[in-house]
């Protein structure tokens, strides 16, 4: 795809990602925003996602994000959807997808079936940010664009340690860090540093976790009461599922938190023998082979029972 050619004649462009934006979503929306703002003149470009967590404050122009979903434009010439595998996950930006004259979808989720006029979906890419580099003219990159894209790759690869890292990922990172931003500081500040509340939630989730299926699965949950007691938000629970998965012998880790009474956001992580994207898709979610998620109504026990059947089928089948 020649992105700039595809955007020819567009006067208004909306850039968006998914609800509860993670590092890849924020990095890809902002990396693309900074790039297009530089390349396209006299075009209104709006980055639109929920307000990013404070640790992403190091990204240039992050305050330009339209988080109230009221850009004062009803219909955009182009809608660019990044890092979202379904239209459901656009949240309040969905109406702009529906009304847009042209829809461009760029994503790396294997579960993405493609729902735009132009779709670039590569399940092999580590992150949407890694994919974006394919559409960017190297001569137009700069330190700030490189930093935003680097953050996305770092976050979706667990600091270049997950199996989605390919030689191309490292080549991309090598190129990006050559722009000279302080990458060790960025990794610490946006990825590793945790607030006291985040550490308390992680501690609770680990202590209260349960092993089942002969230690092949681990599950833990945080309910609303606990979140209220600590003053925690869903963002404070990110990363817990990865820590659960680090338990020796575990094939699948499940972490869930209560969205509303009897309604949970479920995160799945696999060591590789179980394709959790298949399971998540079955429950109307999505993701990757080793990392996927969905939302589901029911009690904690209902959800665990359903999931153990799905996991057992794959482990035994
Ligand atoms: P999470 O467990 O929220 O960290 O998500 C793991 C992966 O699954 C990410 O790549 C998400 O984009 C994807 N994912 C999580 N929840 C959903 C959902 N409800 N629908 C589609 N994809 C999801
Ligand atoms: Mn994401
Ligand atoms: Mn991603």
């Amino acid at each position: 795809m020649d992105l700039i050619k595809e955007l020819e004649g567009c006067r208004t462009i909306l850039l968006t990602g998914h609800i509860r934006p993670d590092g890849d979503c924020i990095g890809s929306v902002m990396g693309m925003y900074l790039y297009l703002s530089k390349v396209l003149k006299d075009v209104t470009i709006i980055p639109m996602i929920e307000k990013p967590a404070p640790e992403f404050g190091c990204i240039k122009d992050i305050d330009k994000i339209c988080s109230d979903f009221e850009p004062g434009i009803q219909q955009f010439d182009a809608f660019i959807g990044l890092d979202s595998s379904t239209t459901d996950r656009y949240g309040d930006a969905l109406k702009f997808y529906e009304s847009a004259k042209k829809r461009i979808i760029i994503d790396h989720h294997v579960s993405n079936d493609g729902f735009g006029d132009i779709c670039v979906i590569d399940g092999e890419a580590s992150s949407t940010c890694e994919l974006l580099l394919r559409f960017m003219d190297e001569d137009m990159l700069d330190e700030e664009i490189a930093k935003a894209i680097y953050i996305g790759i770092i976050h979706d690869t667990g600091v270049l340690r997950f199996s989605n890292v390919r030689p191309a990922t490292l080549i991309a990172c090598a190129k990006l860090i050559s722009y000279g931003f302080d990458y060790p500081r960025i990794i610490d500040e946006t990825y590793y540093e945790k607030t006291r509340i985040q550490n308390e939630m992680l501690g609770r989730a680990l202590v209260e976790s349960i092993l089942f299926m002969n230690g092949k699965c681990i599950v833990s949950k945080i309910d609303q009461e606990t979140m209220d007691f600590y003053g925690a938000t869903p963002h404070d629970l990110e990363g817990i599922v990865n820590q659960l998965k680090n338990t020796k012998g575990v094939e699948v880790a499940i972490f869930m938190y209560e969205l509303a009474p009897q309604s949970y956001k479920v995160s799945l992580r696999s060591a590789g023998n179980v394709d959790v994207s298949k399971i998540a898709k079955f429950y109307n979610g999505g993701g990757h082979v080793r990392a996927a998620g969905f939302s589901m109504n029911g009690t904690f026990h209902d959800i665990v029972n359903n999931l153990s059947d799905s996991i057992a089928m794959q482990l035994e089948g």
Side-chain angles (χ1 to χ4, degrees), residues 26-91:
I26 297 164
S28 55
V29 167
M30 288 312 297
M32 187 62 112
Y33 171 72
L34 295 171
Y35 178 78
L36 291 181
S37 303
K38 196 168 164 183
V39 175
L40 302 175
K41 301 289 171 211
D42 303 320
V43 175
T44 304
I45 306 167
I46 310 271
M48 181 188 280
I49 43 173
E50 288 165 25
K51 196 172 163 42
E55 59 265 30
F56 295 103
C58 59
I59 298 177
K60 187 186 171 196
D61 286 349
I62 194 102
D63 55 326
K64 299 264 166 65
I65 290 179
C66 171
S67 298
D68 64 4
F69 297 86
E70 284 178 15
I73 297 171
Q74 304 305 323
Q75 187 187 38
F76 285 85
D77 292 334
F79 170 102
I80 305 185
L82 301 161
D83 198 43
S84 187
S85 58
T86 61
T87 52
D88 295 358
R89 302 193 84 220
Y90 287 140

Side-chain angles (χ1 to χ4, degrees), residues 10-30:
C10 292
R11 311 309 311 157
T12 54
I13 302 172
L14 181 76
L15 298 171
T16 193
H18 58 77
I19 50 170
R20 296 184 290 269
D22 54 17
D24 187 29
C25 177
I26 297 164
S28 55
V29 167
M30 288 312 297

Side-chain angles (χ1 to χ4, degrees), residues 18 22 24-25 83 107-109 126-129 152 156 288:
H18 58 77
D22 54 17
D24 187 29
C25 177
D83 198 43
D107 187 28
H108 71 121
H109 292 92
S126 67
S127 50
T128 301
C129 279
D156 258 22
H288 315 276

Side-chain angles (χ1 to χ4, degrees), residues 282-312:
F282 181 75
Y283 296 109
N284 293 320
H288 315 276
V289 173
R290 291 175 185 239
F294 61 93
S295 300
M296 190 172 177
N297 294 329
T299 65
F300 171 72
H301 287 103
D302 290 338
I303 297 172
V304 175
N305 283 337
N306 276 306
L307 284 174
S308 10
D309 289 346
S310 310
I311 295 165

Side-chain angles (χ1 to χ4, degrees), residues 3 29 49 92-93 122 139 161 165 191 195 203 240 254 285 296 309:
L3 181 64
V29 167
I49 43 173
D92 289 337
D122 181 355
D139 295 339
R161 104 195 122 87
V165 173
Y191 191 86
T195 63
I240 291 178
I254 306 164
M296 190 172 177
D309 289 346

